[in-house]
Amino acid sequence: MTHFAWTRCFGWLLSLLLGCASTTATVVPPPPVVKRVLFIGNSLTYTNDLPHTVAAIATAAGMPIEVAVEAEPGLALIDHLTGGSNALATLHRGPWDYVVLQQGPTPAGICRDSLVLWTQQFDTLVRAAGGTTAMMMPWPAVDASTGFDEVRESFLAAAAAVGGVFLPAGEAWRAAWRENPTLELYGKDGFHPSSVGSFLAALTVHERLTGRDARTLPLRAFRGLGDLTLPPSEIQLLQRAAHAANIQFPARPTLRLAATELRSARPC
């Protein structure tokens, strides 16, 4: 090979290698590997076993997650902090990748301020256990004066206050109703979720924590670790709704003032 030909060949190889290096540098990093998630909440979490529904979704997707649950009827986060459950002892048995916090549909005003304060107190413990705090937005009761927007703002504010993750489960319900207003996401009491409502919430939590697009999941539905029989078309609708809520609202909201027009003195 002549010197000129060798120079051209070497230049071509160098360009190819640099091109590969440049392409590699722009590859989107893989989603986080989530191994252990602790759920702390009340009956909105344990009804239909939302935590193990998340685990079942993860197993079906080929990335199993270990979950633990501390949830008792009617508890707010302050109740867990003051001995109303075994949440603190379970939290200390970390490490945890995420700790999902949930309480009832919290209105504006002193209730929202308290939620932020209690989340900050929990976050110190969550960080000590190696985890990230994730705030799961629930849904208001059918006949409640507190609306979805007000509940969302409360949990966004709490997540923002600690640099945590926002889980828009309640907003996923709204996204599903926009496609099919007849979906029965509430249970018979008009407050607790139906099995379908819990599955949709679990899809939302799973996508946000793992980074796996809900629309690419297997067409299987779960209630806890058991199967939930739903038509494939309905499962796809729920997957789309979970994804829509997650792309509509930031995973890690920034700190902002609470919506003053929503503030009230109603009891929590």
Side-chain angles (χ1 to χ4, degrees), residues 53-149:
T53 303
V54 172
I57 294 169
T59 298
M63 296 187 296
I65 294 174
E66 177 187 344
V67 300
V69 190
E70 290 295 342
E72 301 290 343
L75 296 192
L77 293 185
I78 187 61
D79 300 312
H80 291 286
L81 286 166
T82 55
S85 73
N86 293 321
L88 298 187
T90 303
L91 183 55
H92 290 317
R93 292 197 293 271
W96 303 100
D97 295 302
Y98 290 98
V99 177
V100 176
L101 302 180
Q102 171 269 316
Q103 68 174 29
T106 307
I110 190 172
C111 299
R112 180 178 295 163
D113 297 339
S114 297
L115 174 64
V116 170
L117 175 62
W118 301 336
T119 300
Q120 290 170 327
Q121 293 174 343
F122 252 117
D123 187 65
T124 300
L125 303 173
V126 172
R127 290 175 184 272
T132 297
T133 298
M135 302 302 298
M136 192 183 90
M137 171 201 169
W139 40 87
V142 169
D143 58 354
S145 57
T146 301
F148 278 86
D149 290 339

Side-chain angles (χ1 to χ4, degrees), residues 151-168:
V151 175
R152 183 192 66 244
E153 289 300 314
S154 294
F155 284 82
L156 275 169
V162 298
V165 173
F166 175 59
L167 307 173

Side-chain angles (χ1 to χ4, degrees), residues 8-27:
R8 290 188 61 188
C9 182
F10 179 79
W12 179 81
L13 287 172
L14 181 60
S15 298
L16 179 62
L17 289 172
L18 289 174
C20 290
S22 176
T23 302
T24 302
T26 60
V27 170

Side-chain angles (χ1 to χ4, degrees), residues 237-253:
L237 186 157
L238 298 174
Q239 291 173 340
R240 290 194 301 270
H243 182 72
N246 279 325
I247 63 173
Q248 183 179 2
F249 298 97
R252 290 183 181 264

